[in-house]
């Protein structure tokens, strides 16, 4: 599987795609799942409310954001893969975090949800043939291919895993 071309995603998402190594995106998603969950599950529950600065998300909120974004990107990929041409809306991450009440949950619970979502996306992506991988649609007023969404999904987790390791732990 080749890296998505720049016309397959909005410019904002290029930074996420750039974080993903070349190679098999399905293998990357699977190995990333294991590595990320190992990192997250090493965080003591009592650290879940930690914020590295005032106004920043807590560790649980960061994890909730990853869960929500994983879900949104997966839904976008499903819609586009199935040939639905309906333009999809954007989502305001801060509103989702506020509405998610993630500080009421445990790190373990959020990790389990992330794992379930990622596994389901890995299965979905495995079902795509070459034609589906390059099928395009619109979300957040930007073009997206299903291939780009898989790469963005991985890049988004790489981005936040780096922040988690560098600023929270």
């Amino acid at each position: 599987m080749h890296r998505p071309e720049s016309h397959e995603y909005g410019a904002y998402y290029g930074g996420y795609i750039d974080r993903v190594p070349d190679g098999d995106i399905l293998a990357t998603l699977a190995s990333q799942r294991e590595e990320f969950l190992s990192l997250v599950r090493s965080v003591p529950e009592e650290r879940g409310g930690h914020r590295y600065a005032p106004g920043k998300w807590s560790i649980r909120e960061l994890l909730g954001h990853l869960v929500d974004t994983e879900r949104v990107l997966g839904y976008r990929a499903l819609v586009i893969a199935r040939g639905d041409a309906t333009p999809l809306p954007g989502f305001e991450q801060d509103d989702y975090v506020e509405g998610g009440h993630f500080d009421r949950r445990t790190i373990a619970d959020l990790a389990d949800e992330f794992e379930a979502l990622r596994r389901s996306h890995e299965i979905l992506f495995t079902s795509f043939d070459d034609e589906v991988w390059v099928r395009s649609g619109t979300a957040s007023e930007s073009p997206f291919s299903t291939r780009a969404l898989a790469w963005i999904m991985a890049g988004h987790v790489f981005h936040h895993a780096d922040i988690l390791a560098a600023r929270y732990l």
Side-chain angles (χ1 to χ4, degrees):
M1 169 89 46
H2 298 286
R3 179 177 296 279
E5 297 178 22
S6 61
H7 69 273
E8 295 180 56
Y9 54 88
Y12 170 83
Y13 300 92
Y16 293 131
I17 289 173
D18 290 345
R19 289 179 165 271
V20 181
D22 289 331
D24 181 350
I25 189 61
L26 297 175
T28 298
L29 289 167
S31 64
Q32 180 185 61
R33 172 179 37 83
E34 294 299 324
E35 292 166 12
F36 181 69
L37 288 170
S38 178
L39 172 65
V40 168
R41 289 181 172 142
S42 73
V43 178
E45 286 292 344
E46 59 271 11
R47 296 268 304 151
H50 173 69
R51 299 168 193 276
Y52 69 86
K56 295 299 183 179
W57 294 336
S58 69
I59 291 173
R60 287 187 298 259
E61 287 172 332
L62 180 141
L63 296 175
H65 165 69
L66 286 170
V67 166
D68 281 353
T69 303
E70 185 89 4
R71 185 170 274 123
V72 168
L73 293 173
Y75 175 71
R76 289 175 176 179
L78 174 66
V79 169
I80 293 168
R82 299 302 188 246
D84 186 340
T86 304
L88 299 169
F91 76 105
E92 175 48 55
Q93 65 184 12
D94 290 319
D95 293 344
Y96 273 57
V97 168
E98 182 179 338
H101 305 289
F102 299 116
D103 276 329
R104 298 179 187 170
R105 296 176 63 187
T106 64
I107 290 172
D109 181 50
L110 292 161
D112 289 347
E113 186 174 4
F114 175 84
E115 180 177 26
L117 283 169
R118 175 54 65 88
R119 284 185 185 275
S120 74
H121 293 138
E122 291 168 31
I123 294 166
L124 174 66
F125 293 153
T126 300
S127 74
F128 293 173
D129 62 20
D130 291 345
E131 179 184 331
V132 171
W133 274 115
V134 296
R135 191 169 287 156
S136 293
T138 302
S140 299
E141 300 178 0
S142 294
F144 288 95
S145 68
T146 54
R147 172 173 63 181
L149 288 163
W151 285 68
I152 292 165
M153 188 178 283
H156 183 254
V157 171
F158 283 134
H159 168 71
H160 283 291
D162 288 348
I163 291 172
L164 180 62
R167 298 183 184 168
Y168 288 90
L169 305 179

